[in-house]
Amino acid sequence: MWKTVPVSRDGAYPGDFMLQNVSYPHVKLGQESPGVSFRGHLRSLPKLTEITSSSHASHGNHKENSPFLNSSEASKGGDYYDKNLALFEEELDIRPKVSSLLGKLVNYTNLTQGVKEHEEAENTDGSKKKVSKSPSMGTLMGVYLPCMQNIFGVILFLRLTWMVGMAGVLQSFLIVLLCCCCTMLTTISMSAIATNGVVPAGGSYFMISRSLGPEFGGAVGLCFYLGTTFAGAMYILGAIEILLTYIVPQAAIFYPSGAHDASSAMLNNMRVYGTVFLILMAVVVFVGVKYVNKFASLFLACVVISILSIYAGAIKSIFDPPEFPICMLGNRTLIRDQFDVCAKTIVKDNITVASKLWENFCHNTNLTTENCDEYFLLNNVTEIAGIPGAASGILKDNLWSNYLEKGEILEKAHHPSVDVAGQKSNFHLYVLSDISTSFMVLVGIFFPSVTGIMAGSNRSGDLKDAQKSIPVGTILAIVTTSLVYFSCVLLFGACIEGVVLRDKYGDAVNKNLVVGTLSWPSPWVIVIGSFFSTCGAGLQSLTGAPRLLQAIAKDNIIPFLWVFGHGKANGEPTWALLLTALIAELGILIASLDMVAPILSMFFLMCYLFVNLACAVQTLLRTPNWRPRFKYYHWALSFLGMSICLALMFISSWYYALVAMLIAGMIYKYIEYQGAEKEWGDGIRGLSLSAARYALLRLEEGPPHTKNWRPQLLVLLKLDEDLHVKYPRLLTFASQLKAGKGLTIIGSVIQGNFLETYGEAQAAEQTIKNMMDIEKVKGFCQVVVANKVREGIAHLIQSCGLGGMKHNTVVLGWPYGWRQSEDPRSWKTFIGTVRCTTAAHLALLVPKNVSFYPSNHERYNEGNIDVWWIVHDGGMLMLLPFLLKQHKVWRKCKMRIFTVAQMDDNSIQMKKDLATFLYQLRIEAEVEVVEMHNSDISAYTYERTLMMEQRSQMLRQMRLTKTEREREAQLVKDRHSIARLESLYSDEEDEGDTVPENIQMTWTKEKCDAEKRNRGSAVGSFRDLISIKPNQSNVRRMHTAVKLNEVIVNRSHDARLVLLNMPGPPKNTDGDENYMEFLEVLTEGLERVLLVRGGGREVITIYS
């Protein structure tokens, strides 16, 4: 053997060791020894440290015939050779050294989510690639600012003033609080998940899918993708609204043909310009992401400057409010751009003439009142300040809500007016509400302005310390944006007149952006700033959404999305970008910002709901791997966040919520049935495990009640030499009997040594699982390796199942060809199994002629299932046909129950009682009572019994003579094994290893004489067989079998299936072979027979 000895030689380091060949008798020179295998095995061992700069060609090429390994070679092979780990050297290829594992983990770099590599790929143009830099972004640049940029968006500039006007300051506070609480709680959950290990690029999708499994991950990932895509559409619509309403209204293509067509013309303009913008943005994204990233800081600067200008304007309004007068007719607000002077008449050259306003309402210029609008005549025209300023006390008027229906005129409460309707044809001159508003509608429209909290986790690959930066940066961003929203709500309510706040498009203030009227130094600061920020946000959505889709496609959990995993040479998701643009176009065709916002609210809320669920599930399960660095989370907070998300979904739009849930549910079910199998160590698997454990512990409390009893099957399968299932119809029968319900365990035994045949057992298990899939058997598979098949089956019967989920019924195949076989092991194993099931109080089903049983594709449109109820065995015979009839193969078969009456039984009363019993059992079946007359034992029965006994005696003699010959050969071969004679005729020998048939023997005169004597005695014993008399007990049993068989064949020869009580094996094992013969006689002439033996307990009851 090899051992290590210290060497001290020039050039050797102190403490070096070398291998010395001591002795290895059975290893030839040049052959690998089992102890030290340099070739192949050690070559695969992981490196401990990088000792040499390049791998040496000499590794693993040491010849075994060179007995010594010198120190230079030892130092060369230092990666593979470690004197301290000799005990583990054979396992190092599958269990690496700790140092090598740590080295790999430290060198693990988490590349960015795609942007940087794409930029570099484009910059290098396929030439020499740059060395990828390690992630270097901090909390401020990597998380805080991106989150701020994503959260602040179009809603702040275009809809927040309108929301404050409609809902009032108090309800607006509530809306902002609800939405911000939702995102804050989600951020806490997200921080816990993001800091529980390394989150690669993919952000929220990766977190959810790895926490909740591929089904939830795919469904929520696609929801998040759709949300991001519709967000892109919303930002584009916002940009177009700013462009066409406030920057260049002259650019409109469609103009209203009449006074009431303004909204439809505007929608058409939005559709055309939105599509153009979408194409341009998609082209920019396609050409290069680097341009989007370069302009990101510019877009953020626009947002910050715009917000600062609002604060500056609010402060300035305290002492110097801006001049934005509003013209009121009575208490109604007028559209300012329809006239120049806010008065009914004007004095021109000392002459009072009709103003433009008079012309609009009276349709004349001569100041006659015949055609004038009644409301116009009775009410005065007044001018009020649009921006009274923070010191004006307008806040108390704006505290309460003022919701309007679609088409309602904006009125100022408590303003003097005469209440008459006026002409409807003049309503276009007033500022009208364009949609019906309510608290719920406003929640749906506002929620997108708090989304964007995932921006930090989405770029986790770029962060220096993602586990620290993501929670801190995201929470700070939410706190900042929430404070901005709360302060803006307060400032808008305190500075701006209520009717101006409710004026969505600034019609009352001469088509100015309402928030712009408050800003300082000019409304254009906000108009230009908001335009650029919305364009930037739209570009970022169109950049992020395709990458998310690409990540889902590359995970291969949704097969039909695989095409979107491909892209340009540098990895740009071209196909995903095309699909994103098409979906965004759907949003643009809706054309209304107020209609698109609730759609993306739904998808984002769905995503946030599942982030909270993921955190709650992981926390409650206490998974060993759940160790977040972020400690300030709790399952109750996650559940609260989840509840708020769910509430917000239904508050904002219950029908959109149902549609979003339906979409997510369909994706979930699709992935469940069609998707690739993925094991990501997710929480749902953990939840299933916990639920299963809880249920099993509950089941353990006691045996099931008779009402809950159902056959939990252990199907014992036989495999052939190639490990294929010998009788696959056993599985078919099991699937038909279970109809998809209850427990099914498929068991099989492989003969041999476990250490040697483990691979075979794995292969057999896989074969059985494939067959189970084909036959649609839902259950478990267990393959046992045992020295003897009978022992293996006994182990399966004893140990299969877990707790209360144990089998109560064994399905066993019939040993075909047992009569023709000289080897008795097959039928002995069969009878041994019958005895085992009886001892374990399990029911037993033996389908005979199982190859004639129907497949799952066949249908019996007619025919009978016949039950021969000879002895009561717990009611199994009644229950089994009922269960079989649940399956489509047997559904149309009728059930007939036959019972046997003896001479002293009242057969008429028996039939009535049986019919009543079946009625109470709620089982529909025909009832027949067959009378068995006491007849004499026929000559046929006697002869059949005699033949049976002669055959078994003859086979025993043949086996004995054969065994004696083999034993003689063994004795000649090994004279010292006299002790083995004791087990010469034991049962062990029948099942032991068979001795090779061709035996070399040395014959002597004594041996020859002994052999002649043996042959003579054998011939004598064969003569004795002729004069044998049959055992009376066997004759009686044979008589029963023959008579019953006659009756059964007579009545049930055309039945689709015959169910029959299986008689128990004899207590004396000497009669085992006769028992097999009785069963054969009993079932002779029947095509499909199911022998049933109960487990000793009632399985069916008449009580409810």
Side-chain angles (χ1 to χ4, degrees), residues 111-114 142-143 147 150 190 199-207 224 228 452-463 470 544 548:
L111 292 175
T112 116
Q113 74 207 45
V143 182
C147 280
N150 275 266
M190 183 194 75
V199 178
S204 58
Y205 161 68
F206 184 91
M207 289 192 297
F224 193 54
T228 312
I453 59 171
M454 299 289 183
S457 63
N458 282 351
R459 58 183 68 216
S460 54
D462 300 336
L463 301 173
I470 288 174
L548 184 57

PDB file of all heavy atoms in Angstrom, residues 111-114 142-143 147 150 190 199-207 224 228 452-463 470 544 548:
ATOM      1  N   LEU A 111     -23.175  40.313 -12.623  1.00  0.00           N
ATOM      2  CA  LEU A 111     -23.195  41.297 -13.716  1.00  0.00           C
ATOM      3  C   LEU A 111     -24.498  42.080 -13.721  1.00  0.00           C
ATOM      4  O   LEU A 111     -25.505  41.641 -13.228  1.00  0.00           O
ATOM      5  CB  LEU A 111     -23.018  40.576 -15.062  1.00  0.00           C
ATOM      6  CG  LEU A 111     -21.623  39.966 -15.266  1.00  0.00           C
ATOM      7  CD1 LEU A 111     -21.600  39.194 -16.551  1.00  0.00           C
ATOM      8  CD2 LEU A 111     -20.556  41.042 -15.244  1.00  0.00           C
ATOM      9  N   THR A 112     -24.465  43.237 -14.321  1.00  0.00           N
ATOM     10  CA  THR A 112     -25.641  44.091 -14.354  1.00  0.00           C
ATOM     11  C   THR A 112     -26.734  43.463 -15.169  1.00  0.00           C
ATOM     12  O   THR A 112     -26.507  42.479 -15.870  1.00  0.00           O
ATOM     13  CB  THR A 112     -25.304  45.469 -14.948  1.00  0.00           C
ATOM     14  OG1 THR A 112     -26.012  45.630 -16.137  1.00  0.00           O
ATOM     15  CG2 THR A 112     -23.855  45.589 -15.278  1.00  0.00           C
ATOM     16  N   GLN A 113     -27.895  44.066 -15.140  1.00  0.00           N
ATOM     17  CA  GLN A 113     -29.027  43.418 -15.778  1.00  0.00           C
ATOM     18  C   GLN A 113     -29.022  43.589 -17.286  1.00  0.00           C
ATOM     19  O   GLN A 113     -30.003  43.376 -17.942  1.00  0.00           O
ATOM     20  CB  GLN A 113     -30.339  43.979 -15.229  1.00  0.00           C
ATOM     21  CG  GLN A 113     -30.642  45.353 -15.722  1.00  0.00           C
ATOM     22  CD  GLN A 113     -31.501  46.091 -14.745  1.00  0.00           C
ATOM     23  OE1 GLN A 113     -31.246  46.063 -13.564  1.00  0.00           O
ATOM     24  NE2 GLN A 113     -32.515  46.739 -15.207  1.00  0.00           N
ATOM     25  N   GLY A 114     -27.967  44.037 -17.859  1.00  0.00           N
ATOM     26  CA  GLY A 114     -27.918  44.030 -19.318  1.00  0.00           C
ATOM     27  C   GLY A 114     -27.467  45.323 -19.923  1.00  0.00           C
ATOM     28  O   GLY A 114     -26.910  45.349 -21.011  1.00  0.00           O
ATOM     29  N   GLY A 142     -27.147  54.513  -7.181  1.00  0.00           N
ATOM     30  CA  GLY A 142     -27.648  53.217  -7.641  1.00  0.00           C
ATOM     31  C   GLY A 142     -29.099  52.943  -7.291  1.00  0.00           C
ATOM     32  O   GLY A 142     -29.790  52.225  -8.017  1.00  0.00           O
ATOM     33  N   VAL A 143     -29.581  53.516  -6.172  1.00  0.00           N
ATOM     34  CA  VAL A 143     -30.947  53.192  -5.739  1.00  0.00           C
ATOM     35  C   VAL A 143     -31.798  54.448  -5.542  1.00  0.00           C
ATOM     36  O   VAL A 143     -32.876  54.573  -6.119  1.00  0.00           O
ATOM     37  CB  VAL A 143     -30.927  52.369  -4.411  1.00  0.00           C
ATOM     38  CG1 VAL A 143     -32.336  52.002  -3.990  1.00  0.00           C
ATOM     39  CG2 VAL A 143     -30.086  51.121  -4.566  1.00  0.00           C
ATOM     40  N   CYS A 147     -34.886  55.436  -8.106  1.00  0.00           N
ATOM     41  CA  CYS A 147     -36.237  55.274  -7.534  1.00  0.00           C
ATOM     42  C   CYS A 147     -37.000  56.599  -7.598  1.00  0.00           C
ATOM     43  O   CYS A 147     -38.181  56.619  -7.964  1.00  0.00           O
ATOM     44  CB  CYS A 147     -36.154  54.795  -6.084  1.00  0.00           C
ATOM     45  SG  CYS A 147     -35.863  53.035  -5.929  1.00  0.00           S
ATOM     46  N   ASN A 150     -38.159  57.222 -11.083  1.00  0.00           N
ATOM     47  CA  ASN A 150     -39.259  56.334 -11.503  1.00  0.00           C
ATOM     48  C   ASN A 150     -40.559  56.668 -10.789  1.00  0.00           C
ATOM     49  O   ASN A 150     -41.634  56.473 -11.349  1.00  0.00           O
ATOM     50  CB  ASN A 150     -38.887  54.868 -11.245  1.00  0.00           C
ATOM     51  CG  ASN A 150     -38.083  54.281 -12.370  1.00  0.00           C
ATOM     52  OD1 ASN A 150     -38.624  53.668 -13.276  1.00  0.00           O
ATOM     53  ND2 ASN A 150     -36.776  54.495 -12.348  1.00  0.00           N
ATOM     54  N   MET A 190     -39.839  43.693   0.270  1.00  0.00           N
ATOM     55  CA  MET A 190     -38.864  43.549  -0.815  1.00  0.00           C
ATOM     56  C   MET A 190     -37.437  43.615  -0.269  1.00  0.00           C
ATOM     57  O   MET A 190     -36.560  42.871  -0.713  1.00  0.00           O
ATOM     58  CB  MET A 190     -39.080  44.656  -1.836  1.00  0.00           C
ATOM     59  CG  MET A 190     -38.178  44.571  -3.038  1.00  0.00           C
ATOM     60  SD  MET A 190     -38.217  46.091  -3.976  1.00  0.00           S
ATOM     61  CE  MET A 190     -37.237  47.159  -2.945  1.00  0.00           C
ATOM     62  N   VAL A 199     -29.241  38.807  -5.072  1.00  0.00           N
ATOM     63  CA  VAL A 199     -30.324  38.896  -6.058  1.00  0.00           C
ATOM     64  C   VAL A 199     -29.706  39.259  -7.398  1.00  0.00           C
ATOM     65  O   VAL A 199     -29.277  40.386  -7.595  1.00  0.00           O
ATOM     66  CB  VAL A 199     -31.362  39.968  -5.662  1.00  0.00           C
ATOM     67  CG1 VAL A 199     -32.433  40.080  -6.724  1.00  0.00           C
ATOM     68  CG2 VAL A 199     -31.977  39.625  -4.322  1.00  0.00           C
ATOM     69  N   PRO A 200     -29.610  38.316  -8.336  1.00  0.00           N
ATOM     70  CA  PRO A 200     -29.067  38.662  -9.645  1.00  0.00           C
ATOM     71  C   PRO A 200     -29.980  39.634 -10.370  1.00  0.00           C
ATOM     72  O   PRO A 200     -31.065  39.958  -9.916  1.00  0.00           O
ATOM     73  CB  PRO A 200     -29.024  37.314 -10.377  1.00  0.00           C
ATOM     74  CG  PRO A 200     -29.145  36.290  -9.324  1.00  0.00           C
ATOM     75  CD  PRO A 200     -29.936  36.911  -8.229  1.00  0.00           C
ATOM     76  N   ALA A 201     -29.505  40.090 -11.541  1.00  0.00           N
ATOM     77  CA  ALA A 201     -30.305  41.021 -12.323  1.00  0.00           C
ATOM     78  C   ALA A 201     -31.640  40.379 -12.651  1.00  0.00           C
ATOM     79  O   ALA A 201     -31.710  39.214 -12.967  1.00  0.00           O
ATOM     80  CB  ALA A 201     -29.554  41.352 -13.603  1.00  0.00           C
ATOM     81  N   GLY A 202     -32.694  41.155 -12.597  1.00  0.00           N
ATOM     82  CA  GLY A 202     -34.032  40.622 -12.852  1.00  0.00           C
ATOM     83  C   GLY A 202     -34.996  41.152 -11.829  1.00  0.00           C
ATOM     84  O   GLY A 202     -36.199  41.050 -11.980  1.00  0.00           O
ATOM     85  N   GLY A 203     -34.426  41.728 -10.771  1.00  0.00           N
ATOM     86  CA  GLY A 203     -35.229  42.472  -9.801  1.00  0.00           C
ATOM     87  C   GLY A 203     -36.412  41.715  -9.250  1.00  0.00           C
ATOM     88  O   GLY A 203     -36.297  40.594  -8.776  1.00  0.00           O
ATOM     89  N   SER A 204     -37.567  42.367  -9.327  1.00  0.00           N
ATOM     90  CA  SER A 204     -38.772  41.843  -8.682  1.00  0.00           C
ATOM     91  C   SER A 204     -39.153  40.479  -9.231  1.00  0.00           C
ATOM     92  O   SER A 204     -39.575  39.604  -8.482  1.00  0.00           O
ATOM     93  CB  SER A 204     -39.925  42.815  -8.880  1.00  0.00           C
ATOM     94  OG  SER A 204     -40.133  42.998 -10.259  1.00  0.00           O
ATOM     95  N   TYR A 205     -38.994  40.279 -10.539  1.00  0.00           N
ATOM     96  CA  TYR A 205     -39.351  38.980 -11.123  1.00  0.00           C
ATOM     97  C   TYR A 205     -38.503  37.876 -10.487  1.00  0.00           C
ATOM     98  O   TYR A 205     -39.014  36.835 -10.081  1.00  0.00           O
ATOM     99  CB  TYR A 205     -39.146  38.981 -12.634  1.00  0.00           C
ATOM    100  CG  TYR A 205     -39.061  37.588 -13.203  1.00  0.00           C
ATOM    101  CD1 TYR A 205     -40.193  36.766 -13.202  1.00  0.00           C
ATOM    102  CD2 TYR A 205     -37.865  37.057 -13.661  1.00  0.00           C
ATOM    103  CE1 TYR A 205     -40.119  35.464 -13.672  1.00  0.00           C
ATOM    104  CE2 TYR A 205     -37.782  35.767 -14.130  1.00  0.00           C
ATOM    105  CZ  TYR A 205     -38.909  34.978 -14.137  1.00  0.00           C
ATOM    106  OH  TYR A 205     -38.838  33.683 -14.587  1.00  0.00           O
ATOM    107  N   PHE A 206     -37.211  38.139 -10.394  1.00  0.00           N
ATOM    108  CA  PHE A 206     -36.322  37.119  -9.813  1.00  0.00           C
ATOM    109  C   PHE A 206     -36.710  36.844  -8.367  1.00  0.00           C
ATOM    110  O   PHE A 206     -36.794  35.696  -7.949  1.00  0.00           O
ATOM    111  CB  PHE A 206     -34.867  37.603  -9.884  1.00  0.00           C
ATOM    112  CG  PHE A 206     -33.894  36.568  -9.404  1.00  0.00           C
ATOM    113  CD1 PHE A 206     -33.330  35.671 -10.287  1.00  0.00           C
ATOM    114  CD2 PHE A 206     -33.564  36.464  -8.059  1.00  0.00           C
ATOM    115  CE1 PHE A 206     -32.454  34.698  -9.846  1.00  0.00           C
ATOM    116  CE2 PHE A 206     -32.694  35.497  -7.606  1.00  0.00           C
ATOM    117  CZ  PHE A 206     -32.127  34.609  -8.509  1.00  0.00           C
ATOM    118  N   MET A 207     -36.978  37.927  -7.619  1.00  0.00           N
ATOM    119  CA  MET A 207     -37.289  37.753  -6.191  1.00  0.00           C
ATOM    120  C   MET A 207     -38.560  36.929  -6.010  1.00  0.00           C
ATOM    121  O   MET A 207     -38.612  36.022  -5.185  1.00  0.00           O
ATOM    122  CB  MET A 207     -37.466  39.118  -5.523  1.00  0.00           C
ATOM    123  CG  MET A 207     -36.150  39.868  -5.372  1.00  0.00           C
ATOM    124  SD  MET A 207     -36.321  41.291  -4.307  1.00  0.00           S
ATOM    125  CE  MET A 207     -37.471  42.296  -5.177  1.00  0.00           C
ATOM    126  N   PHE A 224     -46.011  42.120 -14.044  1.00  0.00           N
ATOM    127  CA  PHE A 224     -45.098  43.247 -13.875  1.00  0.00           C
ATOM    128  C   PHE A 224     -44.651  43.770 -15.245  1.00  0.00           C
ATOM    129  O   PHE A 224     -44.541  44.987 -15.460  1.00  0.00           O
ATOM    130  CB  PHE A 224     -43.896  42.801 -13.037  1.00  0.00           C
ATOM    131  CG  PHE A 224     -43.053  43.934 -12.543  1.00  0.00           C
ATOM    132  CD1 PHE A 224     -43.613  44.979 -11.819  1.00  0.00           C
ATOM    133  CD2 PHE A 224     -41.684  43.961 -12.782  1.00  0.00           C
ATOM    134  CE1 PHE A 224     -42.826  46.029 -11.353  1.00  0.00           C
ATOM    135  CE2 PHE A 224     -40.900  45.004 -12.319  1.00  0.00           C
ATOM    136  CZ  PHE A 224     -41.480  46.041 -11.605  1.00  0.00           C
ATOM    137  N   THR A 228     -45.313  47.474 -16.622  1.00  0.00           N
ATOM    138  CA  THR A 228     -44.243  48.362 -17.109  1.00  0.00           C
ATOM    139  C   THR A 228     -44.524  48.818 -18.534  1.00  0.00           C
ATOM    140  O   THR A 228     -44.281  49.977 -18.893  1.00  0.00           O
ATOM    141  CB  THR A 228     -42.889  47.614 -17.056  1.00  0.00           C
ATOM    142  OG1 THR A 228     -42.756  46.988 -15.787  1.00  0.00           O
ATOM    143  CG2 THR A 228     -41.729  48.547 -17.269  1.00  0.00           C
ATOM    144  N   GLY A 452     -42.626  52.373  -9.024  1.00  0.00           N
ATOM    145  CA  GLY A 452     -41.237  52.678  -9.360  1.00  0.00           C
ATOM    146  C   GLY A 452     -40.296  52.311  -8.237  1.00  0.00           C
ATOM    147  O   GLY A 452     -39.101  52.569  -8.306  1.00  0.00           O
ATOM    148  N   ILE A 453     -40.832  51.667  -7.194  1.00  0.00           N
ATOM    149  CA  ILE A 453     -39.989  51.319  -6.047  1.00  0.00           C
ATOM    150  C   ILE A 453     -39.038  50.179  -6.374  1.00  0.00           C
ATOM    151  O   ILE A 453     -38.107  49.915  -5.623  1.00  0.00           O
ATOM    152  CB  ILE A 453     -40.847  50.931  -4.819  1.00  0.00           C
ATOM    153  CG1 ILE A 453     -41.756  49.733  -5.145  1.00  0.00           C
ATOM    154  CG2 ILE A 453     -41.650  52.109  -4.333  1.00  0.00           C
ATOM    155  CD1 ILE A 453     -42.467  49.167  -3.941  1.00  0.00           C
ATOM    156  N   MET A 454     -39.259  49.495  -7.503  1.00  0.00           N
ATOM    157  CA  MET A 454     -38.402  48.359  -7.858  1.00  0.00           C
ATOM    158  C   MET A 454     -37.145  48.800  -8.599  1.00  0.00           C
ATOM    159  O   MET A 454     -36.316  47.970  -8.936  1.00  0.00           O
ATOM    160  CB  MET A 454     -39.169  47.362  -8.739  1.00  0.00           C
ATOM    161  CG  MET A 454     -40.384  46.766  -8.084  1.00  0.00           C
ATOM    162  SD  MET A 454     -39.907  45.621  -6.797  1.00  0.00           S
ATOM    163  CE  MET A 454     -41.498  45.017  -6.294  1.00  0.00           C
ATOM    164  N   ALA A 455     -37.018  50.091  -8.880  1.00  0.00           N
ATOM    165  CA  ALA A 455     -35.893  50.550  -9.701  1.00  0.00           C
ATOM    166  C   ALA A 455     -34.553  50.158  -9.089  1.00  0.00           C
ATOM    167  O   ALA A 455     -33.612  49.805  -9.791  1.00  0.00           O
ATOM    168  CB  ALA A 455     -35.970  52.066  -9.882  1.00  0.00           C
ATOM    169  N   GLY A 456     -34.470  50.219  -7.749  1.00  0.00           N
ATOM    170  CA  GLY A 456     -33.220  49.857  -7.088  1.00  0.00           C
ATOM    171  C   GLY A 456     -32.919  48.379  -7.189  1.00  0.00           C
ATOM    172  O   GLY A 456     -31.801  47.975  -7.535  1.00  0.00           O
ATOM    173  N   SER A 457     -33.931  47.558  -6.901  1.00  0.00           N
ATOM    174  CA  SER A 457     -33.697  46.105  -6.945  1.00  0.00           C
ATOM    175  C   SER A 457     -33.481  45.637  -8.380  1.00  0.00           C
ATOM    176  O   SER A 457     -32.816  44.632  -8.608  1.00  0.00           O
ATOM    177  CB  SER A 457     -34.869  45.361  -6.314  1.00  0.00           C
ATOM    178  OG  SER A 457     -36.044  45.589  -7.038  1.00  0.00           O
ATOM    179  N   ASN A 458     -34.035  46.355  -9.342  1.00  0.00           N
ATOM    180  CA  ASN A 458     -33.843  45.975 -10.747  1.00  0.00           C
ATOM    181  C   ASN A 458     -32.394  46.128 -11.176  1.00  0.00           C
ATOM    182  O   ASN A 458     -31.961  45.487 -12.111  1.00  0.00           O
ATOM    183  CB  ASN A 458     -34.724  46.836 -11.660  1.00  0.00           C
ATOM    184  CG  ASN A 458     -36.161  46.373 -11.649  1.00  0.00           C
ATOM    185  OD1 ASN A 458     -36.457  45.322 -11.095  1.00  0.00           O
ATOM    186  ND2 ASN A 458     -37.047  47.132 -12.228  1.00  0.00           N
ATOM    187  N   ARG A 459     -31.656  47.043 -10.560  1.00  0.00           N
ATOM    188  CA  ARG A 459     -30.260  47.222 -10.943  1.00  0.00           C
ATOM    189  C   ARG A 459     -29.337  46.729  -9.835  1.00  0.00           C
ATOM    190  O   ARG A 459     -28.269  47.297  -9.600  1.00  0.00           O
ATOM    191  CB  ARG A 459     -29.992  48.674 -11.326  1.00  0.00           C
ATOM    192  CG  ARG A 459     -30.295  49.682 -10.248  1.00  0.00           C
ATOM    193  CD  ARG A 459     -30.054  51.089 -10.757  1.00  0.00           C
ATOM    194  NE  ARG A 459     -31.009  51.458 -11.773  1.00  0.00           N
ATOM    195  CZ  ARG A 459     -30.725  52.215 -12.830  1.00  0.00           C
ATOM    196  NH1 ARG A 459     -29.520  52.683 -12.992  1.00  0.00           N
ATOM    197  NH2 ARG A 459     -31.645  52.531 -13.712  1.00  0.00           N
ATOM    198  N   SER A 460     -29.782  45.681  -9.139  1.00  0.00           N
ATOM    199  CA  SER A 460     -28.983  45.146  -8.034  1.00  0.00           C
ATOM    200  C   SER A 460     -27.602  44.698  -8.500  1.00  0.00           C
ATOM    201  O   SER A 460     -26.656  44.699  -7.723  1.00  0.00           O
ATOM    202  CB  SER A 460     -29.715  43.980  -7.367  1.00  0.00           C
ATOM    203  OG  SER A 460     -30.051  43.021  -8.344  1.00  0.00           O
ATOM    204  N   GLY A 461     -27.498  44.344  -9.782  1.00  0.00           N
ATOM    205  CA  GLY A 461     -26.204  43.907 -10.313  1.00  0.00           C
ATOM    206  C   GLY A 461     -25.163  45.006 -10.360  1.00  0.00           C
ATOM    207  O   GLY A 461     -23.965  44.732 -10.390  1.00  0.00           O
ATOM    208  N   ASP A 462     -25.595  46.270 -10.377  1.00  0.00           N
ATOM    209  CA  ASP A 462     -24.648  47.384 -10.476  1.00  0.00           C
ATOM    210  C   ASP A 462     -24.185  47.882  -9.110  1.00  0.00           C
ATOM    211  O   ASP A 462     -23.343  48.775  -9.036  1.00  0.00           O
ATOM    212  CB  ASP A 462     -25.303  48.577 -11.205  1.00  0.00           C
ATOM    213  CG  ASP A 462     -25.729  48.207 -12.614  1.00  0.00           C
ATOM    214  OD1 ASP A 462     -25.127  47.261 -13.156  1.00  0.00           O
ATOM    215  OD2 ASP A 462     -26.649  48.836 -13.154  1.00  0.00           O
ATOM    216  N   LEU A 463     -24.783  47.375  -8.039  1.00  0.00           N
ATOM    217  CA  LEU A 463     -24.540  47.968  -6.720  1.00  0.00           C
ATOM    218  C   LEU A 463     -23.325  47.349  -6.040  1.00  0.00           C
ATOM    219  O   LEU A 463     -23.084  46.146  -6.135  1.00  0.00           O
ATOM    220  CB  LEU A 463     -25.773  47.782  -5.824  1.00  0.00           C
ATOM    221  CG  LEU A 463     -27.056  48.405  -6.364  1.00  0.00           C
ATOM    222  CD1 LEU A 463     -28.235  48.006  -5.498  1.00  0.00           C
ATOM    223  CD2 LEU A 463     -26.946  49.919  -6.421  1.00  0.00           C
ATOM    224  N   ILE A 470     -30.157  48.592  -1.248  1.00  0.00           N
ATOM    225  CA  ILE A 470     -31.555  48.476  -1.693  1.00  0.00           C
ATOM    226  C   ILE A 470     -32.532  48.918  -0.601  1.00  0.00           C
ATOM    227  O   ILE A 470     -33.377  49.783  -0.847  1.00  0.00           O
ATOM    228  CB  ILE A 470     -31.850  47.048  -2.207  1.00  0.00           C
ATOM    229  CG1 ILE A 470     -31.153  46.833  -3.543  1.00  0.00           C
ATOM    230  CG2 ILE A 470     -33.348  46.815  -2.357  1.00  0.00           C
ATOM    231  CD1 ILE A 470     -31.255  45.428  -4.087  1.00  0.00           C
ATOM    232  N   GLY A 544     -36.793  48.863 -19.934  1.00  0.00           N
ATOM    233  CA  GLY A 544     -36.866  47.855 -18.875  1.00  0.00           C
ATOM    234  C   GLY A 544     -37.784  46.693 -19.198  1.00  0.00           C
ATOM    235  O   GLY A 544     -37.462  45.536 -18.918  1.00  0.00           O
ATOM    236  N   LEU A 548     -37.189  42.491 -18.976  1.00  0.00           N
ATOM    237  CA  LEU A 548     -37.953  41.650 -18.039  1.00  0.00           C
ATOM    238  C   LEU A 548     -38.540  40.453 -18.784  1.00  0.00           C
ATOM    239  O   LEU A 548     -38.455  39.308 -18.326  1.00  0.00           O
ATOM    240  CB  LEU A 548     -39.053  42.484 -17.396  1.00  0.00           C
ATOM    241  CG  LEU A 548     -39.902  41.819 -16.320  1.00  0.00           C
ATOM    242  CD1 LEU A 548     -39.029  41.291 -15.197  1.00  0.00           C
ATOM    243  CD2 LEU A 548     -40.901  42.804 -15.756  1.00  0.00           C
TER     244      LEU A 548
END
